[in-house]
Amino acid sequence: MAQTLHIESRGGRVGTPLLEVQNLVMHYGTKEGEVSAVDNVSFTLNNGEAIGLVGESGCGKTSVALTLLRLLPDNSVIKGGDIKLDGESLIDLDEEQMRRRRWRDISMVFQGAMNSWNPVYRIGDQIREALRLHWPETLTYQEETDRIGALFELVGLNPVTMERYPHEFSGGMRQRAVIAMALSCNPKVIIADEPTTALDVIVQDQILRELKKIQQELGMSIIYISHDIAVIAEVTERMGVMYAGKLVELGSTLEVFHRPRHPYSYLLLSSTPSITGPRRKLAPLEGEPPNLLNPPTGCRFHPRCPFAIDKCSSEEPGLVEVGEGHSVACWNWQEVPEIGGLQK
Amino acid sequence: MSETMADAGADTQPLIKVENLRKLFPVSKSIFREAHDFVHAVDGIDFEIAPGESLGLVGESGCGKSTTGRMLTKLTDATSGQILLADEGELIDIASIQRSHMRRFRRRVQMIFQDPFESLNPRRTVYDTVAESLTVQRIGSVQQREERVAELLHRVGLTPPEQFLFRYPHELSGGQRQRVAIARALVIDPTFVVADEPTSMLDVSIRISIMDLMLKLAEEFNVSYLYITHDLAVARYMCDRIAVMYLGKIVEIAPTEELLSNPQHPYTRALLSAVPVPDPAHKRERIDIKGGISKALNPPPVCRFIERCPRATDHCRTSDHPEFTDLGDGHFVACYNL
């Protein structure tokens, strides 16, 4: 009984590697040809850690998440690489084995998930369904109810409200309930893809605080995916910057924000308005992301890059270490100035 | 877009003067029965916008900011109140303009919408879209219109214009479409433009170039903006002054930097404290307010914020919604407990 009330992360010791993504390559087949949506992406998520993936729309952040969960559409092909959870490869699992791991080992909070509740079932019963399918033992009805109540309390909802229908919940409450459902089976990893994008700023703040509290108190490991770098700055310890299907920079959030080394990260940060700090002119990022049917040769960012040199259009840079735990894929990273440096 | 411009606003004749503007939407249970319940979407707001100034209207969804914008462009009729527009030395009341005078009004006031995928007619070319108001207003000959459209496309950064004139919206990216929407709004030289979240659908990198373009054009065309947004960081970048709305009321209005550095209303403070900051080293002061935004359905006449307010006193519970207190330098706040 007490077991079923206990909400925890089933990951290992905090700080040890939990999810290892190695050289992941994923393509979508389309009528026009193959779209290289995820190209050679590698990163590690440690136990108890929150990491973030940022980038513009179409850069492949959600494709990475879908690949990790193996929830890809039919036209996708995982071309190579490996995903290891606790040392076990997820790539080789068949559909049934993978299905068992979803919710139980890797759960998810998707963008707009608050709108994916079935309107004709009570919120509590929908979480009950996840428990029935994915909890390793069979629970009694009362045990399930108790656990759902405990989950509700953890995410800041009154347990009484589990009897309600989705339309009786506000957007923020629905999103809290989505988080409760993601935690329902004590997962090892939560993937939160734009978890607060459709919410108002005060509610967003409350939800992010809730997630951060859960991560720190339960030692939960979370991958945040967002286009909003301010959100990533708030909740993550390490972050990766994606551009056109590639991971171009990876490092501690503090380091990447204060001393970005990739021109794209630099421009992304420089073009984000803030309500703090001096009111400064922002540097726009010229041009548009490339068509991944036919990505640019060499570095995929070179056509838009103010720091590009000849080599950039012909040779592709790999990730190189530029500081402790900080790596960047750029030939000319030494030239990237400090934030605000271009205007000086 | 300097602070001096915001200060100048106080002395010169306003371009737009809004007085006690209200919009009530009837909520009726049956089509055969007259409505007894009303959503007070906009519930008695006053503000002024000086020529060339841009005023930001911020607030959470459902606070009435878009309804305000729609009333100022006469896409929605006001329930009561006045919207006065200075036009060639005289003040005309937008609320009472008759249909026959709408054409003159539309020359002065234009709108830019949020979603460039929805707001452009998919069956019209860029030229058709941008030239339409010139045709409707019967400005210039066909050749002059063509020249004017090409000039506008050039000025909004769609160059060379010949490449864009005969394209359809589906052939354009989101940023390019928003540029077309801006060209359409500015082609007849309006004095006032309502921009309703014009960049919220765009990616960060494109967002800045559109915001910079709007700032540049504001100076070149000497237009005033009412810039509606939920994003305070965007409002800071774009606006001389900011008005914060909550459930149909403006609770605080001040020059941008003053509002951000010295917020006085408890709601403004809570809102500012909730904005994520793109700096992981920044520690925010958290101000918690209770609950979520409620609906403005038949609100009692007391302060709209009372249920969530950490400062509410008995005086607040028994008094009308507070009037503005003038804190000097154009800073006004509607709260009893300052």
Side-chain angles (χ1 to χ4, degrees):
Chain A
M1 168 97 185
Q3 173 84 46
T4 62
L5 283 180
H6 194 58
I7 302 159
E8 59 177 2
S9 162
R10 287 186 302 104
R13 201 162 50 81
V14 167
T16 55
L18 174 65
L19 184 78
E20 291 163 89
V21 177
Q22 290 156 358
N23 307 96
L24 195 64
V25 181
M26 194 274 292
H27 287 188
Y28 292 116
T30 68
K31 266 186 277 179
E32 288 87 32
E34 288 210 345
V35 174
S36 108
V38 178
D39 193 15
N40 209 5
V41 167
S42 306
F43 62 89
T44 302
L45 172 70
N46 293 326
N47 276 301
E49 189 184 36
I51 66 170
L53 286 180
V54 284
E56 291 174 89
S57 32
C59 73
K61 6 182 239 306
T62 297
S63 291
V64 169
L66 294 176
T67 313
L68 296 182
L69 290 158
R70 296 259 308 277
L71 285 176
L72 290 163
D74 290 342
N75 66 339
S76 63
V77 202
I78 298 176
K79 290 258 175 173
D82 202 359
I83 302 164
K84 281 197 179 123
L85 181 68
D86 264 343
E88 178 197 34
S89 172
L90 297 183
I91 291 278
D92 305 327
L93 298 182
D94 65 27
E95 182 48 39
E96 177 56 23
Q97 291 168 316
M98 193 61 214
R99 191 183 66 77
R100 284 163 199 256
R101 278 168 180 74
R102 281 182 218 126
W103 292 112
R104 177 69 177 144
D105 288 342
I106 308 185
S107 68
M108 50 229 153
V109 175
F110 276 142
Q111 178 172 16
M114 59 181 187
N115 298 322
S116 56
W117 291 104
N118 188 330
V120 299
Y121 290 102
R122 296 174 201 275
I123 296 268
D125 289 343
Q126 297 188 52
I127 299 178
R128 195 182 298 279
E129 190 184 358
L131 276 176
R132 287 192 179 156
L133 285 171
H134 296 284
W135 191 262
E137 302 120 46
T138 311
L139 303 177
T140 64
Y141 190 86
Q142 190 56 46
E143 281 172 334
E144 286 166 0
T145 307
D146 291 343
R147 180 162 177 85
I148 297 165
L151 288 162
F152 265 45
E153 270 176 15
L154 182 73
V155 299
L157 289 170
N158 185 339
V160 179
T161 57
M162 74 170 85
E163 294 294 320
R164 296 209 190 147
Y165 289 94
H167 74 269
E168 296 174 281
F169 271 31
S170 69
M173 287 167 80
R174 270 180 266 158
Q175 197 67 343
R176 282 170 194 268
V178 169
I179 297 168
M181 182 141 146
L183 289 166
S184 62
C185 300
N186 290 340
K188 295 174 179 170
V189 184
I190 295 179
I191 297 175
D193 187 358
E194 306 275 9
T196 57
T197 298
L199 299 172
D200 270 319
V201 52
I202 291 178
V203 184
Q204 159 169 293
D205 186 48
Q206 290 163 350
I207 300 276
L208 290 179
R209 265 194 277 173
E210 214 72 72
L211 278 167
K212 194 163 183 176
K213 191 187 86 187
I214 287 163
Q215 180 235 332
Q216 289 173 346
E217 287 177 7
L218 307 184
M220 189 61 73
S221 317
I222 306 183
I223 301 179
Y224 286 95
I225 292 173
S226 183
H227 70 284
D228 187 345
I229 61 164
V231 166
I232 295 295
E234 292 282 335
V235 291
T236 67
E237 293 137 39
R238 286 193 306 129
M239 65 184 282
V241 180
M242 287 195 71
Y243 182 77
K246 288 191 169 287
L247 200 60
V248 295
E249 184 159 6
L250 189 64
S252 84
T253 306
L254 210 60
E255 185 93 346
V256 174
F257 270 86
H258 286 169
R259 197 73 182 89
R261 292 301 195 173
H262 196 279
Y264 178 66
S265 322
Y266 169 80
L267 288 166
L268 203 57
L269 291 166
S270 309
S271 62
T272 301
S274 170
I275 61 162
T276 59
R279 192 183 196 180
R280 60 187 160 90
K281 184 113 177 65
L282 300 174
L285 187 50
E286 302 293 344
E288 281 169 29
N291 181 353
L292 294 181
L293 275 172
N294 189 11
T297 55
C299 171
R300 288 185 177 184
F301 188 57
H302 87 262
R304 299 171 78 184
C305 182
F307 306 98
I309 48 178
D310 287 349
K311 196 177 181 184
C312 300
S313 55
S314 52
E315 283 178 68
E316 194 180 322
L319 277 175
V320 289
E321 189 131 305
V322 295
E324 201 186 323
H326 189 178
S327 42
V328 63
C330 178
W331 292 122
N332 210 10
W333 61 270
Q334 275 110 335
E335 292 302 310
V336 177
E338 283 180 41
I339 290 290
L342 266 194
Q343 287 102 57
K344 275 177 196 160
Chain B
M1 298 288 109
S2 59
E3 255 91 293
T4 51
M5 216 181 249
D7 298 339
D11 318 321
T12 52
Q13 172 87 1
L15 175 72
I16 289 273
K17 189 173 163 80
V18 171
E19 285 175 353
N20 201 18
L21 186 65
R22 297 175 83 205
K23 177 71 192 180
L24 312 185
F25 289 106
V27 183
S28 105
K29 299 243 159 56
S30 143
I31 54 166
F32 299 113
R33 208 173 296 159
E34 219 179 302
H36 293 290
D37 298 325
F38 293 90
V39 170
H40 294 226
V42 176
D43 204 1
I45 61 169
D46 304 81
F47 61 85
E48 291 180 1
I49 302 177
E53 186 193 33
S54 81
L55 174 70
L57 197 55
V58 302
E60 293 175 278
S61 30
C63 72
K65 51 190 195 307
S66 288
T67 306
T68 304
R70 292 179 67 86
M71 282 192 283
L72 261 60
T73 44
K74 215 168 161 61
L75 294 175
T76 301
D77 286 322
T79 306
S80 65
Q82 281 193 316
I83 305 164
L84 300 168
L85 170 74
D87 182 23
E88 290 162 5
E90 51 177 323
L91 283 174
I92 47 174
D93 183 5
I94 295 179
S96 63
I97 290 180
Q98 280 154 10
R99 288 196 67 84
S100 52
H101 291 87
M102 282 297 281
R103 210 161 60 195
R104 175 171 163 194
F105 168 67
R106 290 263 179 259
R107 274 200 77 160
R108 302 287 172 250
V109 179
Q110 286 288 317
M111 186 148 182
I112 300 168
F113 296 91
Q114 174 174 12
D115 188 345
F117 295 84
E118 299 277 333
S119 68
L120 299 180
N121 187 331
R123 299 179 54 165
R124 288 176 169 235
T125 62
V126 169
Y127 173 78
D128 293 336
T129 297
V130 178
E132 188 183 7
S133 24
L134 294 174
T135 320
V136 171
Q137 300 282 350
R138 302 191 196 116
I139 297 169
S141 63
V142 172
Q143 198 201 336
Q144 284 168 325
R145 284 175 202 160
E146 280 173 10
E147 283 167 10
R148 176 76 180 156
V149 171
E151 183 205 330
L152 255 292
L153 292 187
H154 187 78
R155 288 171 78 170
V156 299
L158 293 174
T159 48
E162 310 81 63
Q163 267 195 23
F164 290 92
L165 279 173
F166 301 105
R167 287 216 215 159
Y168 287 92
H170 74 265
E171 299 172 284
L172 304 174
S173 68
Q176 288 171 336
R177 282 180 222 214
Q178 208 54 308
R179 286 171 194 267
V180 173
I182 293 169
R184 169 176 64 181
L186 295 178
V187 71
I188 47 170
D189 256 328
T191 51
F192 179 55
V193 171
V194 172
D196 191 351
E197 303 265 16
T199 59
S200 64
M201 299 284 286
L202 304 173
D203 258 324
V204 240
S205 62
I206 300 159
R207 188 178 294 178
I208 292 301
S209 52
I210 296 291
M211 295 200 302
D212 280 344
L213 175 70
M214 288 183 67
L215 287 174
K216 185 188 88 164
L217 295 176
E219 263 173 40
E220 288 178 12
F221 285 76
N222 193 29
V223 303
S224 298
Y225 290 126
L226 178 74
Y227 198 96
I228 299 169
T229 178
H230 68 282
D231 187 335
L232 276 153
V234 167
R236 182 192 192 197
Y237 196 68
M238 292 299 295
C239 304
D240 303 311
R241 284 190 302 143
I242 294 179
V244 180
M245 266 188 102
Y246 187 79
L247 284 187
K249 294 278 192 186
I250 291 180
V251 296
E252 186 160 10
I253 183 166
T256 301
E257 294 305 313
E258 164 74 9
L259 186 97
L260 295 177
S261 59
N262 185 24
Q264 290 299 321
H265 196 280
Y267 178 65
T268 314
R269 291 185 171 206
L271 197 63
L272 283 172
S273 82
V275 176
V277 171
D279 179 357
H282 182 83
K283 290 279 170 281
R284 283 191 281 144
E285 180 200 1
R286 307 273 191 177
I287 298 168
D288 276 315
I289 53 171
K290 291 169 267 178
I293 197 164
S294 44
K295 276 216 177 70
L297 185 67
N298 301 331
V302 296
C303 175
R304 294 293 180 277
F305 190 57
I306 198 158
E307 280 171 33
R308 301 172 74 186
C309 186
R311 289 186 199 164
T313 61
D314 284 343
H315 181 65
C316 303
R317 284 181 201 99
T318 51
S319 311
D320 286 351
H321 186 87
E323 299 283 320
F324 273 142
T325 307
D326 186 349
L327 303 177
D329 296 328
H331 191 161
F332 296 87
V333 57
C335 181
Y336 288 118
N337 301 308
L338 296 173

